[in-house]
Amino acid sequence: MEHDSHTTWEFNGSFYQPSAFLMMGIPGLEALHHWISIPFCALYLTALLGNCMILFIIKKTQSLHEPMYYFLSMLAVTDLGLVLCTLPTTLGIFWFNMRRIEFDACLTQMYFIHILSFIESSVLLAMAFDRFIAISHPLRYPSILTKTTVIKIGLAIILRGMVSLLPIPFLLKRLTYCRKTELSHSFCFHPDIMNLACADIKVNVFYGMIILLSTVGMDFIFIVLSYILIIKTVISLATKEECLKALNTCVSHICAVLVFFIPMIGLSMIHRFGKNVPPLVNSLVAYTYLIIPPALNPIIYSIKSSHIREALLRALRRKSESDW
């Protein structure tokens, strides 16, 4: 990636492919990019420190070596990956106006952004399954979700994301592109790159839609079904206190699901159907989708999970005592 306002083209008969794309910050607010970078830096720092803190606490606290917190660790690692994928290009534009990104580098960034998004969706489904088993079958919970089972679920999640998205970069590389090379965001996104092509993109649109519906779409449906079953179980509990206690263990996860899926669905709708949506709205929804969840998830779980909160306080007390 380098500071450049022009791109060169490779010509092969009627086949055109840009050597690079030009990314965009926040449209209409280019003069304020240095100031806008301040809240972005705060969000990135919160995401990096918060997720590292979650991983550190879970690793060091023996009582948190349970399936629920193993899945939370997976969520934290995924959030760190998303942050590290977008941080260099986003801050590069805000600080140095480095808009140019090489074609292959753009496809690589796009691939990892989409993989990590799919993994996050699958981890949220695994966490919903964890809550369903813990509430509906508490006695069988340790035998169903063993450490081996959790590892197998984690590997299956990674494999599903990698395999399902593997054709996407190759489908984009086969396309002939127009002379326009300006993307809509400060990161590379499949529909954004696809819409710059002059060729027929029906295969890309169809494959992208099928993959989205069969992975993230199905994840969301199964998460909803899990909570329907959880609510049925909770209603059957004897006392109101038991009911509230059971539901309270799900609050953090419900918040994480909403924070992730609402902007993701919004961004997908904008790219596929929102041709007349203002560029500023498109940009803000995209940043909300990729930056807000990694920053908020550690805060949500630190506030709502008493085990995480107590472990964090113990760690802080030990640190202050060692300083004295």
Side-chain angles (χ1 to χ4, degrees), residues 48 51 74-88 109 112-113 116-117 120 290 294:
L48 290 170
N51 286 294
M74 294 180 199
L75 187 68
V77 170
T78 307
D79 283 339
L80 284 172
L82 278 172
V83 167
L84 294 174
C85 275
T86 61
L87 185 150
Q109 185 193 44
F112 280 104
I113 286 174
L116 290 165
S117 297
E120 180 136 354
L290 284 178

Side-chain angles (χ1 to χ4, degrees), residues 45-71:
L45 192 62
T46 301
L48 290 170
L49 293 178
N51 286 294
C52 285
M53 178 201 71
I54 292 285
L55 290 171
F56 176 79
I57 287 172
I58 291 173
K59 184 177 185 297
K60 292 293 184 181
T61 309
Q62 192 66 36
S63 61
L64 299 183
H65 292 183
E66 297 176 359
M68 175 182 175
Y69 297 102
Y70 291 144
F71 289 129

Side-chain angles (χ1 to χ4, degrees), residues 73-266:
S73 298
M74 294 180 199
L75 187 68
V77 170
T78 307
D79 283 339
L80 284 172
L82 278 172
V83 167
L84 294 174
C85 275
T86 61
L87 185 150
T89 51
T90 300
L91 295 186
I93 289 176
F94 288 158
W95 287 349
F96 310 111
N97 196 32
M98 295 173 66
R99 298 181 62 200
R100 180 183 165 102
I101 183 168
E102 297 299 318
F103 184 83
D104 288 334
C106 186
L107 295 188
T108 302
Q109 185 193 44
M110 174 216 70
Y111 180 64
F112 280 104
I113 286 174
H114 286 296
I115 278 183
L116 290 165
S117 297
F118 279 30
I119 288 174
E120 180 136 354
S121 169
S122 301
V123 170
L124 289 170
L125 172 59
M127 295 172 86
F129 177 70
D130 169 81
R131 290 298 83 209
F132 166 68
I133 298 297
I135 292 170
S136 301
H137 306 284
L139 298 178
R140 295 172 58 199
Y141 178 72
S143 61
I144 294 174
L145 283 174
T146 62
K147 187 178 287 188
T148 304
T149 303
V150 171
I151 291 170
K152 287 179 180 177
I153 290 171
L155 291 174
I157 286 170
I158 295 168
L159 191 63
R160 185 180 79 152
M162 291 178 66
V163 171
S164 61
L165 290 166
L166 190 60
I168 295 290
F170 299 101
L171 289 173
L172 290 171
K173 282 184 78 74
R174 73 181 178 86
L175 296 175
T176 296
Y177 290 84
C178 305
R179 294 284 174 178
K180 184 184 177 186
T181 60
E182 193 170 67
L183 300 170
S184 304
H185 310 294
S186 61
F187 53 86
C188 298
F189 196 62
H190 175 239
D192 206 16
I193 302 171
M194 179 178 67
N195 289 332
L196 295 179
C198 289
D200 185 353
I201 59 171
K202 286 178 183 175
V203 173
N204 294 66
V205 172
F206 180 75
Y207 185 78
M209 185 67 74
I210 291 296
I211 290 300
L212 188 66
L213 292 176
S214 63
T215 53
V216 177
M218 293 304 294
D219 289 346
F220 184 73
I221 289 170
F222 283 121
I223 288 170
V224 172
L225 288 175
S226 295
Y227 274 102
I228 291 172
L229 294 173
I230 286 170
I231 289 168
K232 284 182 66 177
T233 303
V234 166
I235 289 171
S236 66
L237 294 175
T239 66
K240 185 179 178 181
E241 288 73 19
E242 287 178 326
C243 179
L244 292 173
K245 185 179 178 182
L247 286 176
N248 193 50
T249 64
C250 301
V251 172
S252 301
H253 180 255
I254 292 170
C255 291
V257 168
L258 294 176
V259 164
F260 175 76
F261 278 101
I262 290 174
M264 185 186 202
I265 292 168

